[in-house]
Amino acid sequence: MVLAVVETVSTTRTAIKRDWEDKRERYAEAGIPVYLIVDPNDATWHILQLDGRHYVETAKGIFGQEIPLPEPMGFTVRTAGRHPYGGTGGTGGTSA
């Protein structure tokens, strides 16, 4: 059983739609309980949890804040070293 999926959002409009909308629907249909979206376009992260057949955002933050993954994972992920696209130490690319 897959407990969570992590997505790092891409930079193009098509990829952003795919990561935020299309994959969200597919993962919900598959019954994956937690969807963590890391978005270097605006240096944010979002935890979505399955509520029936759809995801509901249950936590969000910015790079530098720890990500508190819900149970049964129950641990945090550090984002202190993460940078937005085009930022210092980032992976390159530009914001869409």
Side-chain angles (χ1 to χ4, degrees):
M1 172 186 216
V2 176
L3 298 177
V5 65
V6 178
E7 189 70 50
T8 299
V9 178
S10 299
T11 59
T12 66
R13 279 180 228 216
T14 302
I16 291 169
K17 179 190 179 305
R18 181 185 65 230
D19 294 342
W20 273 102
E21 297 174 22
D22 301 342
K23 289 182 181 180
R24 181 178 183 159
E25 290 176 17
R26 288 188 194 122
Y27 296 148
E29 288 173 3
I32 299 171
V34 177
Y35 184 23
L36 169 58
I37 301 174
V38 178
D39 193 341
N41 293 297
D42 61 4
T44 61
W45 53 262
H46 307 260
I47 296 176
L48 298 101
Q49 291 184 267
L50 201 55
D51 183 13
R53 299 179 65 174
H54 302 282
Y55 284 110
V56 174
E57 185 172 71
T58 57
K60 66 181 176 178
I62 59 172
F63 288 5
Q65 296 175 328
E66 291 187 346
I67 303 170
L69 293 175
E71 294 297 335
M73 285 131 338
F75 60 90
T76 59
V77 176
R78 293 179 53 204
T79 65
R82 301 287 308 213
H83 298 282
Y85 290 137
T88 304
T91 58
T94 58
S95 296

